[in-house]
């Protein structure tokens, strides 16, 4: 599932919870989508950090 779809679902449950009390199934679904969001977010950050190359200036001075 794409991140935009996950965010849409998370926002849907957030809006719904402000209108009324969520059912048990809705609470479970909300938690599933929150977990999916966090997992994908962490994976994106990790991928970004893994692609960072640290360059030390003293390695280039002779």
């Amino acid at each position: 599932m794409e991140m935009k779809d996950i965010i849409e679902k998370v926002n849907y449950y957030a809006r719904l919870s402000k209108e009324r009390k969520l059912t048990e199934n809705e609470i479970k679904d909300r938690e599933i989508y929150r977990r999916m969001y966090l997992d994908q977010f962490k994976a994106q950050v990790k991928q970004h950090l893994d692609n960072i190359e640290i360059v030390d200036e003293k390695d280039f001075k002779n």
Side-chain angles (χ1 to χ4, degrees):
M1 184 175 251
E2 289 189 35
M3 189 67 133
K4 68 180 179 104
D5 297 326
I6 295 170
I7 292 171
E8 187 176 304
K9 281 292 199 179
V10 169
N11 288 336
Y12 166 76
Y13 285 117
R15 283 191 304 275
L16 193 60
S17 70
K18 290 178 182 179
E19 296 173 8
R20 64 171 173 81
K21 186 174 178 175
L22 298 177
T23 66
E24 287 297 319
N25 285 339
E26 290 170 336
I27 291 171
K28 289 176 186 176
D29 284 348
R30 178 181 66 178
E31 291 306 314
I32 290 169
Y33 285 110
R34 283 180 175 176
R35 175 54 45 202
M36 289 171 67
Y37 172 80
L38 288 174
D39 290 345
Q40 284 198 19
F41 181 81
K42 287 177 186 178
Q44 288 176 353
V45 170
K46 183 181 180 322
Q47 181 182 12
H48 181 71
L49 291 174
D50 288 344
N51 289 325
I52 292 176
E53 182 179 341
I54 298 174
V55 178
D56 191 354
E57 287 184 23
K58 32 184 191 178
D59 290 342
F60 294 105
K61 294 179 181 177
N62 289 332

